[in-house]
Amino acid sequence: MRKVLRKSYNQQKHHQEITGYEIFVRCLAAEGVELIFGYPGASTIGIYDILYDPNAAKTKKLETTDGTTSNNRRNIAMTPTKAHDNHQGKLMTGAEVFVRCLVEEGVDTLFGYPGGVVIGIYDVLHDLTHIKHILTRHEQGATHAAEGYSKATGKPGVVLVTSGPGATNAVTGIADAYMDSIPLVVFTGQVVTKLIGNDAFQEVDIVGITRPITKHNYLVKDVNDLAKTIKAAFYIATTGRPGPVLVDLPKDVLAAKTVFEYPKTISLRSYNPIVEGNSKQIKKAADMINEAKRPLLYVGGGVISSNASTEVRALADKLRAPITTTLHGLGAYPEQSKLSLGMLGMHGTWYSNMAVDQCDVLIAIGARFDDRVTGKVEAFAKNAKKIHIDIDPTAISKNVPADVPIVGDVKRVVKQLLELVMPLDTKEWLKAIDGWKAEHPLRYKQDGSLRAQHVIDKLGEITNGEAIVVSDVGQSQMWTAQFFKWKHPRTQITSGGLGTMGFSLPAAMGAAFGRSDLPVVCISGDGGFQMNIQEMATIAQNNLPLKIFIINNGFLGMVRQWQELFWKKRYSHTQITSPDFVKLAESYNIRGLRVTSPADVETTIKTALKYNEGPILVEFVVVQEENVWPMIPAGQTINEIMDSPEPLEQTHATHKTMIHAKG
Ligand SMILES: Cc1ncc(C[n+]2csc(CCOP(=O)(O)OP(=O)(O)O)c2C)c(N)n1
Ligand SMILES: [Mg+2]
């Protein structure tokens, strides 16, 4: 292991003003810490800069503490759910009640991992054909798979794991679902009730741990409460602003007996999501829109989760208003259309960010003004009146004050709004936008080397948007968002709020379990892929026809980009090695291909899309030091936007953009 802290470090720079990063490192040095096991990210990048040792990478025996250096189909036929199997009124164990409740809820797929305290449930599942249980290789994989399944199908994702480490392994997926408003119901096993609080074997206070990252959570103490708690869990997860709900199941509750009664309806005193928008507010919004000269729709993931794409499309088309989406809104409006501006925000298109700056009425629908979208909040859409429609009252005016707030289900509100608004004369406005599109298209350098943007651009072109694409986190995620031609809702799946590396492989797997009508493509960086690599075995065991694309740039590319731009190119712990991905695939009995030249991109993508005998992995070995453009640095404004430094004529501008530019 490498000594990352020099003993002398603490003696330097006495009585000087130093940064928090330096204080952190000095404190560790003072404590005699010599080794840190870690992984960099945007919030710790300054610490990594201090740890940077340019000579270290050249030493052969270097072992970085991030553990990265070693020198280098299916079509599962689901048995139709028998919703009411006439088990009501029967005496059964808690484990049987649990499974019956899932059947009543119409659950057809369950992602999980067994263990001591849930063994009774697994025993009941053994004979059950109503529910397909997918045994993942890690509980994090199970939660991300449930997220992917839910995003692709619109149904809640269901997870079952054991107590202690099983439960804590599920935490990242739960937090991810919370940040991205994905309805999950996560069941965790718990030690017997009389041992709770005793530090029993595999005991952990998962209800305490997950309180801030669940919409709600329960510890069931009495088997007689089990069915109604499960009913409430599904109700809370799927209504209002969706989110994860956790139900903790002690072993003795699962073993105890009760008479099974599944409630038909439920009402919870303190939980009543507002779905109808206030009609006066809707009228006010319509009046504001009808006066607009430069309207802009800003659409987020709420539109997808409330299945409101049809209404939102109708609104944009009726108004002839341009429309930009967040990362999670991609697919809400077809990017093939002239009115589409693609994604906005830090790595959004140049022209969508400019349109935000110049619009006079901003209509935010199912979006939350997140900091990756707004940059400096005070300057965001500073010339515009803002209408904000969202089901979650706490999301409204949280970051940016709304002039007309409307709380309600966006599908219903937009339907009402549609009847009150008139077509607008937006010719001049669209002409200005077309000019920006022509001057600042999304583009990438064409110099004979292989680039990720080219791969994704081609994938979009070949599939014509008819695919479910699940991306990981980092540069590959942003290029996927930018260059794929999004067409349908529920085809873009990614970890937006939490930004969880390792999300894509299990989430794509979950999506493929839920949908077989479209090809499912996983696009991952070389770093993120190695974070949940174990799910290759689940994919292989189920022979899922997944297309796994690895964008291998030999770097934790997004952090490297920040180091290049803002930390003087000091690549502290961001260069990574990988296994031979093709051999790795083959070891799982998965077909593996490698592409190193742009000339082979198209044929290899076609081969992967046609391959239906099972999973296929393609490694794209791309240029190492490439950046995602445009970029508005964190917390800054449109005035600081950085666009691709490549002159237009030496680049390939994307097809979707050029269609827009030509009008
Ligand atoms: C679990 C986790 N750890 C750390 C980060 C911080 N982070 C964001 S992007 C990134 C680099 C991703 O590298 P890679 O998967 O190779 O994708 P690339 O950016 O190279 O396309 C890192 C480390 C994160 N988002 N998630
Ligand atoms: Mg990478």
Side-chain angles (χ1 to χ4, degrees), residues 38 80 85 214 217 258 267 280 393 453 458 464 466 475 506 657:
D85 239 349
T214 48
N217 63 15
T258 188
S267 97
K280 275 197 198 128
Q453 302 95 312
K458 274 281 165 234
N464 190 23
E466 303 291 339
Q475 291 185 312
T657 308

Side-chain angles (χ1 to χ4, degrees), residues 18 22 27 33 59 85 102 151 294 319 333 335 366 401 460 466 474 489 524 528 534 574 614 633-634 646:
I18 58 171
E22 284 176 285
C27 291
V33 174
T59 353
D85 239 349
L102 296 200
K151 285 272 251 182
R294 298 183 308 279
L319 295 174
Y333 190 83
E335 292 197 338
E466 303 291 339
S524 179
Q534 76 286 346
T574 42
E646 308 301 335

Side-chain angles (χ1 to χ4, degrees), residues 39-41 473-476 499 501 525-528 531 553 555-559:
Y39 212 96
V473 170
Q475 291 185 312
S476 58
M501 282 174 71
D526 42 341
M531 281 216 174
N553 55 7
F555 270 103
L556 301 175
M558 187 54 97
V559 184

Side-chain angles (χ1 to χ4, degrees), residues 39-40 52 57 68 473-476 479 501 524-530 550-561 563-564 569-578 581 622-627:
Y39 212 96
Y52 182 59
T68 52
V473 170
Q475 291 185 312
S476 58
W479 286 319
M501 282 174 71
S524 179
D526 42 341
F529 185 77
Q530 294 184 65
I550 300 176
I551 305 294
N552 187 354
N553 55 7
F555 270 103
L556 301 175
M558 187 54 97
V559 184
R560 186 210 59 75
Q561 172 168 346
Q563 288 173 330
E564 178 188 329
K569 261 196 168 186
R570 289 156 53 83
Y571 294 159
S572 177
H573 294 272
T574 42
Q575 190 154 25
I576 56 165
T577 60
S578 292
F581 287 121
V622 299
V623 291
Q624 294 210 324
E625 296 183 44
E626 170 66 303
N627 291 331

Side-chain angles (χ1 to χ4, degrees), residues 342-379:
M343 184 174 75
L344 82 166
M346 179 182 277
H347 290 298
T349 57
W350 197 96
Y351 37 91
S352 68
N353 286 310
M354 190 51 94
V356 169
D357 192 61
Q358 300 289 309
C359 67
D360 64 354
V361 175
L362 183 76
I363 310 159
I365 314 177
R368 62 188 174 96
F369 293 82
D370 136 78
D371 56 274
R372 282 290 186 269
V373 160
T374 59
K376 189 175 178 186
V377 279
E378 306 82 50

Side-chain angles (χ1 to χ4, degrees), residues 111-115 118-126 133 135 160-161:
F111 299 92
Y113 211 96
V118 287
I119 201 162
I121 293 179
Y122 276 85
D123 190 65
V124 181
L125 286 174
H126 192 57
H133 176 277
L135 176 68
L160 170 64
V161 297

